[in-house]
Amino acid sequence: MKFLDSNVLIYAAEDTQADKFARACDIVEAAVCGNGFVISAQVLNEWFIEEFSGTACL
């Protein structure tokens, strides 16, 4: 079992750094395909805050 880090989710959601974006997308794809990755509530919270802080949707 491997834990997915919030930075991986953040880099996969933003394509401003192409090398990190590509690698993060590969990791997320592996996680979605059932390769033993786990996402904790803390990681989802960190990602949510980073992605949506300061936007009108909150």
Side-chain angles (χ1 to χ4, degrees):
M1 181 179 344
K2 300 168 236 166
F3 281 90
L4 201 59
D5 186 71
S6 59
N7 288 321
V8 173
L9 297 177
I10 292 166
Y11 285 125
E14 300 176 359
D15 62 355
T16 56
Q17 297 181 31
D19 57 330
K20 291 182 180 182
F21 173 74
R23 181 67 181 129
C25 287
D26 290 343
I27 294 170
V28 170
E29 182 179 356
V32 170
C33 292
N35 290 330
F37 282 88
V38 175
I39 301 175
S40 70
Q42 178 180 344
V43 165
L44 289 175
N45 186 47
E46 291 171 0
W47 171 78
F48 187 86
I49 289 169
E50 179 67 28
E51 287 300 310
F52 298 106
S53 62
T55 63
C57 68
L58 293 178

